[in-house]
Amino acid sequence: MVNNMVGSFFEDIVDGFNTALLYIEPETDVTSKSSAYTLKYANQKALDFFGKTTEVVTGLNFGKLSNVDGILTVANKVFTTKEPNTTHISIKKDDGVFNYRVDAKCLNNGLLITLAELEPSYITDAESKLPLGTKQSRTHELEISNLFGVRVLDSNDSIICYLKPIFNNDGEVKDFRIDYLNNRMDEITNEEADKIVGLSILEYYPKNSENGVIEILKTCYATGENKEYTREFIFKEDSFWLSTRAVKMNDGLILFSKDVTKEKKYENELFIQNRLLSEAEHVANIGSFRWNLEKEQIKYSDNVYRLFGYEPNEFDNQYDRLLTFLHPNDIEKVKTSFKEAKRKKSKTDQVFRVYTKSNELKYMNTIGECYQKEGNWYMVGVIRDVTTQIEAESVLQIKNAELKRTNADLEAFNRVASHDLQEPLRKIQMFASRLHDEEEGRLNSRSQGYLDKIKYSSDRMRNLISNLLSYSKIDEVNEQPKRVDLNDVLNNVLEDLGERINELNAEIVTQNLPVVNGIQFQLEQLFANLVGNSLKYIREGVQPQIKIESSVVNGKSDNLETLLPNINYVKLQFIDNGIGFEKKYQEKIFEIFQRLHGKTEFTGTGLGLSICKKIVQSHNGVIHAQGEINKGAQFIVYLPTLL
């Protein structure tokens, strides 16, 4: 009976009592022999009293225990008369004499006995020496009993409540009256227990009819089966969670309620964290696992199942089950990798192929690390679907192969341009020059015109090949960037262009230029092309003027999308007063072979500005142009500053 009445929850509470609690049943019919009883249950305080453990005591003949003579006398009397009995006994132990109050009463087929040690202050009190059986002594005993009972119940961590059923006219339970409530309830509601006792549970907390509590209690009373439930209660706008066990006791119910508000809060926080982690895994297309290496059991997160095309927990958590998803050619590789990780307790990082539930082939990447806890080894890690990444890498490899072939073609072109094309061109120029020298003065004007066109075209062809070679070799420079003073660069360029500048009486206005990180001869080529461009496209009757200005700007300050916002740049401006160009050409002007004018109007191959753009880009910079017809052009170069 006791095992039915007292569950694990009840046992925890009873074991916390300062009162020894026993339950014994007779082995035979009632006799005066002490050996007629079997001990069925003893709480922790009783075990301490007898100096025994549960395994030794349970089922033992009660008479074989020490210090039980006085208890047996009370037990025999109660079992014979069926009336409760209270007495006092003294037990002599090694460390002195101890006085106990013994209460015994019938319960089902046996006896429930409590053994409470009396405090010395009560034992030495004058009234405690009154003759047994007098009205005064019995009253005093009752006071002591009540005081002790209240102390025991109030010292318990749980809210203990005793309920009596309230019946309707049809004899059905409609509510329960609160007959007793210990003071633990005060700590939650800030109300004295005396103000609650006497109320029905629906009067005190009407929502018990909505949250299912009243129906649970009715079922417990009707069936006699213990019931457990956890519910949220609101007292003075504060939320509390109580975990309750209801036990039928005689003609009522006793409730043991534990405040689990903190646990519930932690549980909710853990739920939210797990939910956020699950959502994050879903967004990131990854899953996590925890593998018990000793038992070969793997605990997967929900998203692992989804990666394999299943619903959460749709397949079992054994290691061998994971192997069934693998591509046949990857099974041994995966087994070997995991075996090494288990043996060395090391990190594993591998990519393998799997077949999903829909037979789709996917690439998975698993990263796991081992750790030890409570003597067991575990591996924790993540599983990622890297199918898209692998496919992208495959496409990239194909593109790289194509790029290598293209580069090889360009190298072949460079070889042809640098030798095979220039060799016959040199012969054309040589024989045209000889013909001009030998036949000078003897050719008619028409033939002389043909010869001049041959010479002009061959010269233009030679310049074109030379520029193409320069353009194609910009990225092949092996020289490492270094500090370059742009003042030196400009001086070298102006010296080379000095004859042309003097011929045009051009005015060059410049200021002190900064130092940058770069390849000097390429920067000289950049300056030469930009200054030369301004000297080429001049307006008739207007003295050419070229301004070269510099400043340091932040990438986001000039509102140019191609600049990095967190980088500082050297800004170079090449401003002229030449013929300019229309705004629609400010991007097209940098395209290879792009010319805005006929080849007879201005000399050139259409590669100069293309070379400028490529040089600037190789220096991690940006170049763009602005222009207005007959008002001039401006070329702006941005180069990263020195770190």
Side-chain angles (χ1 to χ4, degrees):
M1 171 271 171
V2 171
N3 289 335
N4 292 332
M5 183 185 73
V6 182
S8 60
F9 184 81
F10 187 39
E11 287 181 359
D12 290 341
I13 295 174
V14 173
D15 281 341
F17 286 174
N18 289 323
T19 304
L21 181 66
L22 311 171
Y23 179 74
I24 59 176
E25 288 183 349
E27 297 177 348
T28 58
D29 293 336
V30 179
T31 68
S32 61
K33 297 180 180 180
S34 62
S35 61
Y37 297 96
T38 299
L39 181 61
K40 292 293 186 178
Y41 175 79
N43 72 347
Q44 187 60 49
K45 193 68 175 179
L47 295 175
D48 295 340
F49 177 84
F50 295 117
K52 303 290 185 179
T53 62
T54 303
E55 292 77 14
V56 174
V57 168
T58 304
L60 188 67
N61 186 304
F62 187 63
K64 293 182 179 181
L65 297 172
S66 59
N67 301 321
V68 298
D69 293 341
I71 301 174
L72 283 172
T73 301
V74 177
N76 290 333
K77 182 177 181 180
V78 171
F79 202 84
T80 301
T81 64
K82 304 300 181 183
E83 294 291 331
N85 188 274
T86 299
T87 189
H88 295 83
I89 63 173
S90 296
I91 303 293
K92 185 176 182 181
K93 297 183 180 180
D94 293 339
D95 50 348
V97 177
F98 296 85
N99 298 283
Y100 294 87
R101 180 179 182 277
V102 181
D103 291 277
K105 66 177 180 179
C106 293
L107 184 64
N108 291 340
N109 298 323
L111 297 174
L112 182 65
I113 301 172
T114 60
L115 188 65
E117 182 180 356
L118 297 177
E119 295 182 13
S121 59
Y122 292 106
I123 300 303
T124 59
D125 191 286
E127 285 192 327
S128 66
K129 299 178 182 178
L130 292 173
L132 293 176
T134 66
K135 183 177 180 181
Q136 283 181 302
S137 66
R138 292 179 62 85
T139 301
H140 182 66
E141 289 174 3
L142 183 60
E143 290 175 351
I144 293 175
S145 175
N146 288 338
L147 178 61
F148 180 79
V150 169
R151 284 188 174 183
V152 168
L153 294 176
D154 284 345
S155 66
N156 197 275
D157 290 335
S158 297
I159 301 168
I160 301 177
C161 176
Y162 185 70
L163 307 178
K164 283 291 189 71
I166 300 174
F167 299 93
N168 60 19
N169 294 333
D170 297 327
E172 299 172 340
V173 176
K174 66 175 183 178
D175 201 348
F176 291 88
R177 185 181 69 252
I178 303 172
D179 265 17
Y180 171 79
L181 186 64
N182 71 347
N183 67 2
R184 289 298 177 190
M185 195 65 178
D186 300 355
E187 299 175 3
I188 295 178
T189 63
N190 292 322
E191 294 178 353
E192 296 179 5
D194 293 343
K195 296 181 179 179
I196 302 175
V197 173
L199 299 175
S200 75
I201 62 172
L202 291 182
E203 287 175 335
Y204 179 65
Y205 198 81
K207 289 186 178 179
N208 280 328
S209 62
E210 302 172 9
N211 60 20
V213 169
I214 189 68
E215 295 301 325
I216 294 174
L217 298 180
K218 287 180 181 179
T219 302
C220 179
Y221 184 82
T223 63
E225 296 179 0
N226 299 340
K227 296 294 181 181
E228 295 183 3
Y229 59 90
T230 301
R231 293 291 187 276
E232 182 184 25
F233 297 89
I234 307 298
F235 298 114
K236 297 182 179 179
E237 299 184 355
D238 291 327
S239 171
F240 294 88
W241 285 87
L242 299 180
S243 178
T244 302
R245 182 175 180 84
V247 179
K248 186 174 182 181
M249 182 75 73
N250 297 333
D251 60 345
L253 297 179
I254 185 168
L255 307 185
F256 302 90
S257 299
K258 184 177 181 181
D259 184 359
V260 293
T261 305
K262 290 183 178 179
E263 290 86 343
K264 198 68 178 178
K265 179 182 178 181
Y266 296 148
E267 180 183 326
N268 290 337
E269 290 177 351
L270 182 61
F271 173 79
I272 293 172
Q273 291 176 357
N274 288 337
R275 183 66 179 270
L276 290 174
L277 177 61
S278 178
E279 292 296 328
E281 287 186 355
H282 183 69
V283 172
N285 206 24
I286 64 173
S288 57
F289 66 89
R290 183 174 183 265
W291 181 6
N292 187 329
L293 298 180
E294 304 298 328
K295 300 180 180 179
E296 296 203 344
Q297 294 178 340
I298 306 177
K299 175 64 176 177
Y300 300 109
S301 66
D302 289 349
N303 210 46
V304 171
Y305 295 94
R306 297 189 184 101
L307 291 177
F308 286 82
Y310 292 84
E311 291 299 317
N313 302 310
E314 192 173 343
F315 57 82
D316 63 60
N317 60 356
Q318 297 299 315
Y319 169 68
D320 290 341
R321 180 69 175 95
L322 176 64
L323 298 179
T324 63
F325 296 112
L326 297 177
H327 188 284
N329 294 340
D330 290 346
I331 292 178
E332 289 303 320
K333 177 183 73 172
V334 172
K335 289 172 66 176
T336 301
S337 178
F338 278 136
K339 183 177 180 181
E340 283 297 300
K342 287 177 61 178
R343 184 176 67 85
K344 297 180 180 180
K345 304 300 184 288
S346 59
K347 181 178 179 179
T348 181
D349 186 347
Q350 57 181 315
V351 176
F352 50 85
R353 292 165 292 178
V354 300
Y355 286 104
T356 65
K357 185 178 182 180
S358 60
N359 211 33
E360 180 183 1
L361 182 65
K362 287 188 174 183
Y363 288 85
M364 297 291 178
N365 171 225
T366 296
I367 302 175
E369 291 197 4
C370 297
Y371 73 97
Q372 191 176 27
K373 182 180 181 181
E374 297 177 354
N376 292 326
W377 279 96
Y378 298 88
M379 177 184 286
V380 294
V382 296
I383 298 178
R384 293 191 299 145
D385 181 354
V386 293
T387 306
T388 303
Q389 179 182 338
I390 295 294
E391 290 175 348
E393 288 177 355
S394 298
V395 172
L396 183 60
Q397 290 175 356
I398 294 173
K399 296 294 185 183
N400 285 338
E402 293 177 354
L403 183 59
K404 287 181 179 179
R405 288 195 297 270
T406 302
N407 288 337
D409 292 342
L410 284 174
E411 289 178 5
F413 166 77
N414 285 340
R415 288 193 298 271
V416 171
S418 61
H419 182 270
D420 296 350
L421 286 180
Q422 291 195 68
E423 181 59 28
L425 182 59
R426 280 194 294 270
K427 289 183 178 180
I428 291 173
Q429 289 179 312
M430 181 183 68
F431 287 118
S433 179
R434 287 182 181 179
L435 184 60
H436 179 270
D437 292 342
E438 291 178 1
E439 300 297 329
E440 186 177 4
R442 290 188 290 179
L443 295 175
N444 58 38
S445 59
R446 186 175 182 182
S447 298
Q448 186 63 45
Y450 291 152
L451 188 59
D452 291 340
K453 287 183 178 180
I454 291 173
K455 187 176 184 302
Y456 171 79
S457 296
S458 61
D459 289 341
R460 187 169 178 274
M461 180 78 171
R462 190 182 188 99
N463 289 333
L464 181 60
I465 293 173
S466 177
N467 286 337
L468 278 172
L469 285 173
S470 298
Y471 183 83
S472 64
K473 291 181 178 180
I474 289 174
D475 294 330
E476 298 179 5
V477 176
N478 294 324
E479 184 178 344
Q480 292 298 318
K482 60 183 180 181
R483 293 170 61 89
V484 177
D485 189 338
L486 294 182
N487 294 295
D488 295 338
V489 170
L490 180 60
N491 291 334
N492 292 339
V493 168
L494 294 181
E495 184 177 345
D496 291 340
L497 297 175
E499 186 176 342
R500 179 62 175 166
I501 293 172
N502 292 332
E503 179 185 336
L504 296 174
N505 191 28
E507 181 184 6
I508 308 297
V509 180
T510 184
Q511 57 186 222
N512 189 48
L513 301 179
V515 176
V516 297
N517 200 44
I519 309 297
Q520 177 146 343
F521 83 87
Q522 286 188 346
L523 293 175
E524 288 181 358
Q525 190 176 12
L526 170 66
F527 274 55
N529 282 349
L530 292 177
V531 174
N533 198 72
S534 295
L535 294 175
K536 181 191 300 183
Y537 299 104
I538 61 175
R539 280 188 289 162
E540 188 175 353
V542 176
Q543 180 188 11
Q545 185 183 69
I546 303 172
K547 292 181 181 179
I548 303 175
E549 299 177 353
S550 72
S551 59
V552 176
V553 297
N554 186 266
K556 61 183 178 182
S557 64
D558 269 29
N559 298 320
L560 200 63
E561 294 181 358
T562 49
L563 297 179
L564 298 176
N566 298 322
I567 298 294
N568 289 332
Y569 290 87
V570 170
K571 180 180 180 181
L572 301 172
Q573 296 171 271
F574 296 80
I575 307 168
D576 65 46
N577 61 347
I579 62 174
F581 58 85
E582 295 183 43
K583 186 177 180 180
K584 63 181 180 180
Y585 294 120
Q586 63 184 27
E587 293 297 331
K588 193 175 183 181
I589 200 171
F590 292 105
E591 295 178 8
I592 191 169
F593 297 128
Q594 183 60 48
R595 296 175 58 92
L596 303 186
H597 308 279
K599 61 183 179 180
T600 58
E601 295 181 68
F602 298 95
T603 60
T605 60
L607 280 168
L609 292 179
S610 299
I611 292 173
C612 289
K613 182 176 181 179
K614 197 163 187 180
I615 290 173
V616 172
Q617 289 177 337
S618 72
H619 284 71
N620 300 313
V622 174
I623 183 172
H624 69 101
Q626 298 174 356
E628 190 173 350
I629 293 294
N630 293 323
K631 288 190 177 181
Q634 177 179 186
F635 291 89
I636 306 173
V637 176
Y638 294 89
L639 298 175
T641 59
L642 287 172
L643 297 178

